[in-house]
Amino acid sequence: MCPNKYFIRHWRLKLLIVPLLLLTGCWDSKNITELSLVIGEAIDQGDEAPVEKKLNEKGGGYRKQDLITITWQIVIPKIAASKNASAGQKPYKNHSISGDMIHQFAREASLESKPLFNQHQKMFVFGEKLVRSMDLQTLIDQHFRDNEVRESGFVLVARGLAKDTLETKGSDIPVDRLIRISKNQYRNTRILPPMTIQNVMEKVSTHSSFLIQSVVAAQGEVKFAGAAVFKGETNKLIGFLSEEELEGLTWLTGKSRGGVIKTWDEQNQPFIIYELESLKSRIRPNVSGDKISFHVEIESVGRLTEDWREKVDYFEDEFLQSAEKAAEKEVIRHVEMILKAMQNKYHVEVAGFGNQIRIHYPKVWQKVKNNWDDEFSEIPVTYSVKLKINDYGLRHMKK
């Protein structure tokens, strides 16, 4: 055999063997049927579940305090993927455990069922009583450290029990329903941009006051209802913004892609509906000596989508101008509500005013940042609102 041919074959064989040594495969993989696929969890103040109590009475407990109750929403793949699931079959199940250390919950669950698999978890809902009494940083610390938990998971705060938001009447998966609602910001000014575990941890680390979308549940139904207010000094819930106050915040910050304003006439009767198509807000800071002030410019272009006035000729400017003024008046009312809530009711700043001081007056910001919430409560804020109706549909005249 030619030495050159032998040499070539020898190295070809080595080149084939080396990749095989590197391809170790998924040596620690687990069958999906052997895991509990968690897609969401509700964290409430401790309350031992009836089943858990019975197990403990028969010797199934360990040393712990019932400070927290976690309810995991677990997908049942066979039912979720089946198009022929029988009526009454739910594609999920909820499993609750009480205790005092969050990481131990997950390990405790493996004593009762399949090990939990959290890498597909999309939602965290905190109960009102729990986050009023406990530091939110403590509650999310383990989730943030755990490499099995996605930092992109959305966070909500329930008015009442968080576990109630993980129930539904129909065959829909509750967590998926909450995710879909959170994406409706382009349709409503009362929905906040989604907050993730990562976003919350960033707020907590800077000791900034912040908001999280709140949700209410009743009889298997859920609704986004205002926002939970967290104080930066304590990272605890101090109250809730109403839906109207949250709507005012949206107009104040310009963070909305769609929604409507309903106006009222002098007799407190429905007047018109203004649907926004675009929204801009500019927070302009001003510093004179030791005095800080703000002016907010709010501009929007939209459509007149509903009008209950009689004998309106839309070709006459005065009728459209009266509609614009009515809508502007309603926006101003909402803006005043949120300013009063921030400056007088809760003494927090959650609209981004401080960020504008930080950008435009960094030296001033260094002086006030440690006591910003209280500082903001005393700062004058003026505003101007300009709405423009550029479309009123195909209707021209009411007879």
Side-chain angles (χ1 to χ4, degrees), residues 91-109:
Y92 70 92
K93 65 178 180 179
N94 292 337
H95 182 67
S96 298
I97 292 181
S98 298
D100 47 23
M101 298 294 285
I102 292 176
H103 198 190
Q104 191 165 7
F105 285 123
R107 300 300 182 257
E108 183 73 9

mmCIF file of all heavy atoms in Angstrom, residues 91-109:
data_model
loop_
_atom_site.group_PDB
_atom_site.id
_atom_site.type_symbol
_atom_site.label_atom_id
_atom_site.label_comp_id
_atom_site.label_asym_id
_atom_site.label_seq_id
_atom_site.Cartn_x
_atom_site.Cartn_y
_atom_site.Cartn_z
ATOM 1 N N PRO A 91 -57.379 21.581 30.991
ATOM 2 C CA PRO A 91 -56.012 21.296 30.514
ATOM 3 C C PRO A 91 -54.945 21.685 31.525
ATOM 4 O O PRO A 91 -53.778 21.810 31.167
ATOM 5 C CB PRO A 91 -55.913 22.155 29.249
ATOM 6 C CG PRO A 91 -56.807 23.307 29.520
ATOM 7 C CD PRO A 91 -57.953 22.779 30.352
ATOM 8 N N TYR A 92 -55.336 21.904 32.757
ATOM 9 C CA TYR A 92 -54.392 22.294 33.795
ATOM 10 C C TYR A 92 -54.863 21.790 35.147
ATOM 11 O O TYR A 92 -56.023 21.397 35.323
ATOM 12 C CB TYR A 92 -54.260 23.819 33.853
ATOM 13 C CG TYR A 92 -55.501 24.509 34.387
ATOM 14 C CD1 TYR A 92 -55.642 24.793 35.753
ATOM 15 C CD2 TYR A 92 -56.557 24.849 33.560
ATOM 16 C CE1 TYR A 92 -56.785 25.395 36.250
ATOM 17 C CE2 TYR A 92 -57.705 25.448 34.049
ATOM 18 C CZ TYR A 92 -57.816 25.724 35.395
ATOM 19 O OH TYR A 92 -58.965 26.312 35.884
ATOM 20 N N LYS A 93 -53.965 21.827 36.111
ATOM 21 C CA LYS A 93 -54.328 21.578 37.507
ATOM 22 C C LYS A 93 -53.532 22.537 38.369
ATOM 23 O O LYS A 93 -52.427 22.966 38.001
ATOM 24 C CB LYS A 93 -54.059 20.129 37.912
ATOM 25 C CG LYS A 93 -52.594 19.736 37.891
ATOM 26 C CD LYS A 93 -52.420 18.285 38.358
ATOM 27 C CE LYS A 93 -50.934 17.894 38.331
ATOM 28 N NZ LYS A 93 -50.740 16.488 38.805
ATOM 29 N N ASN A 94 -54.080 22.898 39.513
ATOM 30 C CA ASN A 94 -53.408 23.790 40.449
ATOM 31 C C ASN A 94 -53.001 23.007 41.689
ATOM 32 O O ASN A 94 -53.796 22.250 42.248
ATOM 33 C CB ASN A 94 -54.321 24.950 40.850
ATOM 34 C CG ASN A 94 -54.571 25.895 39.687
ATOM 35 O OD1 ASN A 94 -53.786 25.965 38.745
ATOM 36 N ND2 ASN A 94 -55.668 26.626 39.736
ATOM 37 N N HIS A 95 -51.765 23.197 42.100
ATOM 38 C CA HIS A 95 -51.222 22.463 43.247
ATOM 39 C C HIS A 95 -50.669 23.463 44.262
ATOM 40 O O HIS A 95 -49.831 24.296 43.916
ATOM 41 C CB HIS A 95 -50.111 21.507 42.789
ATOM 42 C CG HIS A 95 -49.529 20.689 43.901
ATOM 43 N ND1 HIS A 95 -50.263 19.727 44.567
ATOM 44 C CD2 HIS A 95 -48.290 20.678 44.458
ATOM 45 C CE1 HIS A 95 -49.504 19.160 45.496
ATOM 46 N NE2 HIS A 95 -48.301 19.732 45.442
ATOM 47 N N SER A 96 -51.156 23.416 45.509
ATOM 48 C CA SER A 96 -50.766 24.393 46.536
ATOM 49 C C SER A 96 -49.975 23.743 47.663
ATOM 50 O O SER A 96 -50.269 22.610 48.076
ATOM 51 C CB SER A 96 -52.011 25.064 47.132
ATOM 52 O OG SER A 96 -52.718 25.784 46.148
ATOM 53 N N ILE A 97 -48.971 24.477 48.155
ATOM 54 C CA ILE A 97 -48.169 24.058 49.302
ATOM 55 C C ILE A 97 -47.886 25.284 50.157
ATOM 56 O O ILE A 97 -47.655 26.373 49.636
ATOM 57 C CB ILE A 97 -46.833 23.411 48.867
ATOM 58 C CG1 ILE A 97 -47.083 22.064 48.183
ATOM 59 C CG2 ILE A 97 -45.898 23.202 50.052
ATOM 60 C CD1 ILE A 97 -45.813 21.357 47.740
ATOM 61 N N SER A 98 -47.895 25.113 51.486
ATOM 62 C CA SER A 98 -47.589 26.202 52.408
ATOM 63 C C SER A 98 -46.257 25.953 53.096
ATOM 64 O O SER A 98 -45.854 24.811 53.299
ATOM 65 C CB SER A 98 -48.691 26.344 53.468
ATOM 66 O OG SER A 98 -49.913 26.668 52.866
ATOM 67 N N GLY A 99 -45.573 27.049 53.459
ATOM 68 C CA GLY A 99 -44.293 26.925 54.139
ATOM 69 C C GLY A 99 -43.653 28.281 54.340
ATOM 70 O O GLY A 99 -44.341 29.303 54.375
ATOM 71 N N ASP A 100 -42.316 28.297 54.434
ATOM 72 C CA ASP A 100 -41.639 29.550 54.733
ATOM 73 C C ASP A 100 -40.463 29.873 53.823
ATOM 74 O O ASP A 100 -40.008 31.009 53.799
ATOM 75 C CB ASP A 100 -41.169 29.575 56.194
ATOM 76 C CG ASP A 100 -40.472 28.290 56.603
ATOM 77 O OD1 ASP A 100 -39.963 27.584 55.703
ATOM 78 O OD2 ASP A 100 -40.440 27.984 57.811
ATOM 79 N N MET A 101 -39.932 28.920 53.075
ATOM 80 C CA MET A 101 -38.806 29.175 52.179
ATOM 81 C C MET A 101 -39.194 28.704 50.774
ATOM 82 O O MET A 101 -39.511 27.528 50.568
ATOM 83 C CB MET A 101 -37.547 28.443 52.652
ATOM 84 C CG MET A 101 -37.059 28.885 54.030
ATOM 85 S SD MET A 101 -36.487 30.600 54.067
ATOM 86 C CE MET A 101 -34.909 30.452 53.258
ATOM 87 N N ILE A 102 -39.162 29.617 49.822
ATOM 88 C CA ILE A 102 -39.721 29.353 48.497
ATOM 89 C C ILE A 102 -39.023 28.207 47.781
ATOM 90 O O ILE A 102 -39.676 27.358 47.163
ATOM 91 C CB ILE A 102 -39.677 30.636 47.644
ATOM 92 C CG1 ILE A 102 -40.662 31.661 48.230
ATOM 93 C CG2 ILE A 102 -40.019 30.353 46.193
ATOM 94 C CD1 ILE A 102 -40.646 33.006 47.552
ATOM 95 N N HIS A 103 -37.690 28.126 47.854
ATOM 96 C CA HIS A 103 -36.985 27.073 47.138
ATOM 97 C C HIS A 103 -37.348 25.691 47.673
ATOM 98 O O HIS A 103 -37.412 24.709 46.929
ATOM 99 C CB HIS A 103 -35.471 27.287 47.230
ATOM 100 C CG HIS A 103 -34.706 26.519 46.205
ATOM 101 N ND1 HIS A 103 -33.333 26.408 46.219
ATOM 102 C CD2 HIS A 103 -35.114 25.818 45.121
ATOM 103 C CE1 HIS A 103 -32.937 25.668 45.197
ATOM 104 N NE2 HIS A 103 -33.998 25.300 44.522
ATOM 105 N N GLN A 104 -37.606 25.628 48.975
ATOM 106 C CA GLN A 104 -37.951 24.338 49.559
ATOM 107 C C GLN A 104 -39.325 23.865 49.093
ATOM 108 O O GLN A 104 -39.597 22.676 49.055
ATOM 109 C CB GLN A 104 -37.912 24.418 51.088
ATOM 110 C CG GLN A 104 -37.998 23.050 51.756
ATOM 111 C CD GLN A 104 -37.599 23.080 53.208
ATOM 112 O OE1 GLN A 104 -37.378 24.140 53.771
ATOM 113 N NE2 GLN A 104 -37.495 21.918 53.821
ATOM 114 N N PHE A 105 -40.196 24.820 48.717
ATOM 115 C CA PHE A 105 -41.512 24.445 48.183
ATOM 116 C C PHE A 105 -41.365 23.505 46.998
ATOM 117 O O PHE A 105 -42.034 22.481 46.895
ATOM 118 C CB PHE A 105 -42.284 25.681 47.714
ATOM 119 C CG PHE A 105 -42.852 26.519 48.815
ATOM 120 C CD1 PHE A 105 -42.531 27.858 48.915
ATOM 121 C CD2 PHE A 105 -43.718 25.983 49.745
ATOM 122 C CE1 PHE A 105 -43.062 28.650 49.913
ATOM 123 C CE2 PHE A 105 -44.260 26.763 50.755
ATOM 124 C CZ PHE A 105 -43.922 28.092 50.842
ATOM 125 N N ALA A 106 -40.491 23.907 46.065
ATOM 126 C CA ALA A 106 -40.327 23.132 44.836
ATOM 127 C C ALA A 106 -39.822 21.726 45.134
ATOM 128 O O ALA A 106 -40.241 20.751 44.500
ATOM 129 C CB ALA A 106 -39.367 23.854 43.893
ATOM 130 N N ARG A 107 -38.905 21.623 46.098
ATOM 131 C CA ARG A 107 -38.396 20.292 46.454
ATOM 132 C C ARG A 107 -39.444 19.482 47.212
ATOM 133 O O ARG A 107 -39.535 18.266 47.079
ATOM 134 C CB ARG A 107 -37.123 20.445 47.296
ATOM 135 C CG ARG A 107 -36.005 21.188 46.577
ATOM 136 C CD ARG A 107 -35.583 20.457 45.301
ATOM 137 N NE ARG A 107 -34.473 21.143 44.640
ATOM 138 C CZ ARG A 107 -34.623 21.896 43.560
ATOM 139 N NH1 ARG A 107 -35.831 22.074 43.038
ATOM 140 N NH2 ARG A 107 -33.570 22.466 43.001
ATOM 141 N N GLU A 108 -40.249 20.167 48.016
ATOM 142 C CA GLU A 108 -41.316 19.483 48.756
ATOM 143 C C GLU A 108 -42.337 18.888 47.798
ATOM 144 O O GLU A 108 -42.896 17.809 48.046
ATOM 145 C CB GLU A 108 -41.992 20.479 49.697
ATOM 146 C CG GLU A 108 -43.090 19.885 50.579
ATOM 147 C CD GLU A 108 -42.540 19.001 51.694
ATOM 148 O OE1 GLU A 108 -41.316 18.977 51.883
ATOM 149 O OE2 GLU A 108 -43.351 18.335 52.350
ATOM 150 N N ALA A 109 -42.601 19.585 46.685
ATOM 151 C CA ALA A 109 -43.590 19.100 45.720
ATOM 152 C C ALA A 109 -43.206 17.747 45.143
ATOM 153 O O ALA A 109 -44.072 16.943 44.787
ATOM 154 C CB ALA A 109 -43.754 20.122 44.592
#
